Amino acid sequence: MSRMMKMGTGTLRVILWFASILIWFSIFVPIEYLVNYFSGETTNYILHSDDFMMPIKTHVASTNAIASFPSGLYTTLMIIGYILMLVGVFITIQAVSAIVRHIQEQDYFSTENSQQMNRIVKGQIWLLGSSLLMACANQLTVSWLYRISQFGLGWDNLLSAFVDLIIFALIAMIYTRAVNMKTESDLTI
């Protein structure tokens, strides 16, 4: 393995390690949603936070819409969506870390790497579920309060997650087929 490849994979492993640690700290983010909900501040937070944009300045949510905003449903969707996202990202990071480790060991076409590719696909399924729930929650803020989340939690994110899932599934299938062909070739010789 070239020196540049060793340095690149080593750097990538360090970045993935830090990302794994950040995932564990991110588990506390849903607590903010719970605190806002139980203190009755969910709607106030959405209306006055810098995390939400008001795309059309002339549309103002009515007092009735503000009072009847389903903050319990919003909170539930966001918490479950966020937890699904954390699980999906964690699975993906762990799988990519294992693949990088195998690359460092110069074990390129192995069944372990094929299994890790399938784990990445499973992580993408978790992310797709997360995107669906968070898009629904964002739709609530758009429909009731005329606010859009600045974190890209809309329906376009759901489409992007679906396309990512398809791409990773195709790569996993092709890689698995390549590993099977290599195994057959090794057995033939």
Side-chain angles (χ1 to χ4, degrees):
M1 181 182 298
S2 71
R3 184 175 145 239
M4 192 66 129
M5 181 77 148
K6 285 181 184 177
M7 193 168 64
T9 55
T11 303
L12 186 56
R13 282 191 69 182
V14 169
I15 291 170
L16 291 169
W17 183 79
F18 277 118
S20 293
I21 290 174
L22 286 175
I23 293 290
W24 288 109
F25 286 114
S26 298
I27 198 73
F28 297 109
V29 171
I31 292 172
E32 178 183 13
Y33 292 110
L34 286 173
V35 168
N36 283 337
Y37 175 71
F38 287 116
S39 65
E41 292 294 316
T42 301
T43 308
N44 231 5
Y45 175 77
I46 294 169
L47 288 172
H48 302 293
S49 171
D50 290 336
D51 295 343
F52 293 88
M53 299 181 295
M54 187 173 177
I56 302 171
K57 298 291 183 192
T58 58
H59 287 119
V60 178
S62 69
T63 307
N64 189 26
I66 293 170
S68 61
F69 179 73
S71 56
L73 178 60
Y74 172 81
T75 302
T76 303
L77 290 171
M78 287 302 291
I79 289 173
I80 295 172
Y82 195 83
I83 291 170
L84 291 177
M85 179 188 67
L86 289 177
V87 170
V89 170
F90 186 74
I91 289 170
T92 302
I93 287 173
Q94 294 302 310
V96 171
S97 294
I99 290 172
V100 170
R101 187 176 58 251
H102 288 139
I103 289 172
Q104 285 179 323
E105 295 167 357
Q106 297 183 0
D107 187 15
Y108 305 114
F109 290 98
S110 66
T111 55
E112 291 87 8
N113 282 349
S114 179
Q115 292 169 348
Q116 297 306 325
M117 288 299 298
N118 290 329
R119 281 185 65 202
I120 290 173
V121 171
K122 289 175 186 171
Q124 293 302 312
I125 292 171
W126 284 87
L127 290 170
L128 180 65
S130 166
S131 296
L132 175 63
L133 294 176
M134 289 184 162
C136 289
N138 190 48
Q139 186 63 47
L140 288 173
T141 63
V142 170
S143 299
W144 292 67
L145 305 174
Y146 303 114
R147 299 295 194 276
I148 298 173
S149 172
Q150 292 193 33
F151 299 112
L153 304 174
W155 296 108
D156 55 338
N157 193 32
L158 178 64
L159 178 64
S160 174
F162 185 69
V163 170
D164 290 348
L165 173 62
I166 291 172
I167 290 171
F168 281 113
L170 286 172
I171 291 170
M173 287 177 10
I174 292 168
Y175 188 81
T176 300
R177 181 69 181 135
V179 168
N180 290 340
M181 288 173 63
K182 182 185 179 300
T183 304
E184 288 176 19
S185 173
D186 290 345
L187 293 175
T188 309
I189 297 175

